[in-house]
Amino acid sequence: MTFILNHWPLAFISAAMIAAAVIDGWKLKVPNWLTFPLVLSGWALGLLHNFGLLEATGAGGIGASLAGTALGFALLFPVYAIGGMGAGDVKMQMGFGAWIGAFYGLSAPEGQPAALGIIFWAFCLAVVIGGVLALAMIALRGQYRRNLSNTREIVSDLFTASGVGDVADRAARRKPRMHLLPYGIPLCLGFVSYLIYLHGA
């Protein structure tokens, strides 16, 4: 944790992820006024590194920042495309990718982490946390048959729908009767927890 606090880009992106999670939990939406500046400022940091400025704030240039953004997008876009989450969650992860790319870079000394691996494994941890939170929500509400029915419909849609757009339309129609998990929360927990894991408590 000390490492994160002593390196302001990591402290900044962690604080931004926490803010996004709080807003998502409150309003079920991560706003553009937070996500777009997050992505653009991550690119700006990478660009400054390319010009030899603020070198103490990271090892990645604009290329690494763009690659981190692209990976963040690619990991969540399939779920977004079928209506499984909102665009704000995707942009939130893109912002994380932009800053992680600018800080860590695409290559790192032996034994040190590189940006794309961090983004991928932080995302995997977020998926696990999201699954645990979803199961806890189901257990607390006790609506097992309803949730099982929704799950069957979702799986059926993947095989019977005419295309991605049809899957998304069906998900939108089903949305009002589902209990939603603000996915910014598990994303935040996965991202921040993985950074803490990397650099120790």
Side-chain angles (χ1 to χ4, degrees):
M1 194 69 179
T2 302
F3 182 90
I4 295 171
L5 295 175
N6 287 339
H7 292 79
W8 72 261
L10 294 183
F12 174 80
I13 191 59
S14 296
M17 292 296 101
I18 292 169
V22 170
I23 295 171
D24 198 19
W26 176 29
K27 294 191 172 183
L28 293 177
K29 183 178 181 180
V30 183
N32 287 334
W33 62 257
L34 176 59
T35 55
F36 279 133
L38 199 60
V39 174
L40 294 175
S41 58
W43 294 351
L45 182 63
L47 191 59
L48 288 172
H49 292 163
N50 282 125
F51 285 104
L53 302 172
L54 299 180
E55 291 182 339
T57 62
I62 183 65
S65 185
L66 289 170
T69 305
L71 179 59
F73 172 81
L75 289 170
L76 279 184
F77 180 74
V79 182
Y80 165 73
I82 62 172
M85 66 175 52
D89 298 318
V90 180
K91 288 176 279 191
M92 175 183 175
Q93 181 158 284
M94 290 168 66
F96 178 79
W99 277 82
I100 293 301
F103 184 81
Y104 290 98
L106 296 180
S107 60
E110 188 174 348
Q112 298 297 315
L116 298 185
I118 293 170
I119 296 164
F120 176 77
W121 290 113
F123 167 76
C124 290
L125 180 57
V127 170
V128 172
I129 292 171
V132 171
L133 290 178
L135 289 174
M137 287 173 62
I138 291 170
L140 287 172
R141 290 191 170 102
Q143 297 176 338
Y144 302 108
R145 290 188 178 182
R146 181 176 177 181
N147 283 284
L148 182 59
S149 175
N150 287 334
T151 301
R152 285 175 178 164
E153 286 184 34
I154 292 168
V155 173
S156 175
D157 288 350
L158 294 175
F159 292 99
T160 62
S162 59
V164 172
D166 189 23
V167 175
D169 289 342
R170 295 185 189 188
R173 290 195 296 269
R174 190 165 45 242
K175 190 174 181 179
R177 57 186 170 87
M178 295 182 70
H179 296 295
L180 302 178
L181 169 63
Y183 217 79
I185 294 174
L187 286 176
C188 169
L189 292 173
F191 296 157
V192 176
S193 297
Y194 193 73
L195 291 179
I196 293 173
Y197 162 76
L198 282 178
H199 299 294

